[in-house]
Amino acid sequence: MRGMSAVPLHISGVGKEFTASGRRRAILADVDLDVAAGEVVALLGPSGCGKSTLLRLAGGLDTPTTGSVLVDGQPVRGFEPRCAVVFQEPRLLPWRNLERNVAFGLPRDVTGDRARAEVAHWLSVVGLAGFAKHRPRQVSGGMAQRAALARALARRPGVLLLDEPFAALDALTRLRMQDLLADVQREAGTTVLLVTHDVDEALHLADRIVLLGAGPSARKTAPTVGPPSQGEPPQDSVAESGSRRRTACGQPGDVDDAASIRLVLDVPGARPRDRGDSGLAALRSSLLAELGVRTPAAVAS
Ligand SMILES: Nc1ncnc2c1ncn2[C@@H]1O[C@H](COP(=O)(O)OP(=O)(O)OP(=O)(O)O)[C@@H](O)[C@H]1O
């Protein structure tokens, strides 16, 4: 699509510290994550654990304290032109109409008729062809967010970084936007790193789900598809293995608050997945349990 080519993202040994009120605080430590070209990875984790920080580091909007980020094998230093970011709020320029906002995302070498064609194309992809001349305040929140997505796509990013892009939308608009993202991703094939709080969104859209949080680091697991058979320890239960790991490693005094990758989960089946897929129910319960939310299914298993 429009010359867009997916590229891999390689995050290696990344740590991030911030200084606030004179105190240094480690937010992320030893984060290792490889996202293949064209893969969709969802980043889940408790509020404040550093998901947005990691996304910002991936896009060069901030610099890691340790470790490195590579996009298509090249180190990210400063704002990364091969990435485009969509935030929770559209961040459109209010004095520009939608088409001029989308044009803002175009690479510098795309001008004139080609630029106009590109803008028209992306507005059409996100269903805003009839609103090109509208200003952001003249359209709904969902439409403004679609324009923000079009602006990001107009950059033809190798990696699309999405920071809770649908969180501020009403439930129905959110579902429609998820479907739109799935369509766009399928057509463009771009690499996507998606920060979300929404387990269902992650299960619907992602190839892999990465759980970020404080505590001992990563375990890659096969998906949980049902309760363990009789007499067998629940080795594949995300919730069980997570709690066991914390018990074994959680010695008082050696707890590091910095977040790292706790779990990497392959989601079975082709995306976008059926929202009613009962096969994902166990996985959903396990993920929610990892996030500290108890569900009847998790309790039963
Ligand atoms: N520039 C900054 N200076 C100081 N602290 C920061 C800065 N940016 C983020 N933090 C802190 O880093 C921590 C992680 O923030 P971040 O926004 O990455 O978390 P998050 O997991 O995305 O949260 P949420 O899910 O609530 O959006 C928070 O405690 C936040 O206050």
Side-chain angles (χ1 to χ4, degrees):
M1 179 193 281
R2 304 269 154 176
M4 194 182 287
S5 58
V7 298
L9 171 68
H10 180 72
I11 293 171
S12 176
V14 159
K16 180 67 185 172
E17 294 178 3
F18 287 117
T19 302
S21 311
R23 274 193 62 216
R24 273 187 96 63
R25 196 175 142 221
I27 301 298
L28 296 171
D30 300 323
V31 177
D32 294 308
L33 176 64
D34 282 327
V35 184
E39 192 180 16
V40 179
V41 170
L43 205 51
L44 280 175
S47 182
C49 73
K51 302 180 294 297
S52 298
T53 299
L54 185 59
L55 197 90
R56 290 173 60 80
L57 296 175
L61 302 176
D62 208 342
T63 314
T65 310
T66 57
S68 62
V69 178
L70 306 181
V71 170
D72 199 18
Q74 303 295 317
V76 169
R77 292 197 185 94
F79 172 73
E80 175 50 62
R82 290 161 296 179
C83 296
V85 191
V86 178
F87 298 96
Q88 185 170 333
E89 65 289 350
R91 301 193 185 188
L92 299 174
L93 300 172
W95 59 89
R96 286 186 170 210
N97 63 27
L98 296 191
E99 72 179 359
R100 293 192 61 224
N101 266 287
V102 173
F104 198 65
L106 290 171
R108 288 218 176 120
D109 61 342
V110 179
T111 55
D113 286 349
R114 206 173 134 222
R116 278 186 284 281
E118 287 279 318
V119 169
H121 170 76
W122 290 115
L123 281 171
S124 157
V125 165
V126 300
L128 291 175
F131 297 88
K133 304 293 182 198
H134 283 57
R135 297 268 167 94
R137 65 180 160 74
Q138 296 173 313
V139 299
S140 70
M143 292 162 81
Q145 196 60 338
R146 277 189 270 155
L149 182 60
R151 178 183 55 189
L153 293 166
R155 188 177 295 284
R156 287 179 266 153
V159 182
L160 186 59
L161 302 169
L162 304 172
D163 193 354
E164 298 184 52
F166 315 135
L169 304 176
D170 67 84
L172 192 57
T173 308
R174 184 157 60 232
L175 297 183
R176 289 192 175 131
M177 288 293 288
Q178 289 168 0
D179 289 342
L180 172 66
L181 176 64
D183 289 347
V184 165
Q185 201 285 333
R186 192 169 39 221
E187 190 185 338
T190 190
T191 310
V192 176
L193 185 59
L194 166 71
V195 167
T196 180
H197 279 119
D198 185 339
V199 169
D200 292 319
E201 183 170 285
L203 288 170
H204 182 57
L205 292 173
D207 297 305
R208 281 188 298 156
I209 296 176
V210 170
L211 198 70
L212 203 63
S217 64
R219 187 174 76 88
K220 187 177 189 303
T221 181
T224 305
V225 290
S229 52
Q230 225 174 5
E232 185 188 321
Q235 297 284 355
D236 289 331
S237 159
V238 177
E240 284 294 326
S241 61
S243 57
R244 233 185 301 117
R245 192 175 59 240
R246 277 190 290 275
T247 307
C249 301
Q251 301 301 317
D254 67 0
V255 176
D256 186 355
D257 279 346
S260 193
I261 292 178
R262 286 170 50 197
L263 191 75
V264 181
L265 201 69
D266 292 322
V267 187
R271 59 177 153 77
R273 294 174 196 83
D274 183 350
R275 290 194 174 88
D277 184 348
S278 58
L280 294 178
L283 202 50
R284 181 177 185 276
S285 299
S286 299
L287 277 166
L288 286 170
E290 270 291 316
L291 292 163
V293 180
R294 287 171 70 81
T295 63
V299 172
S301 67

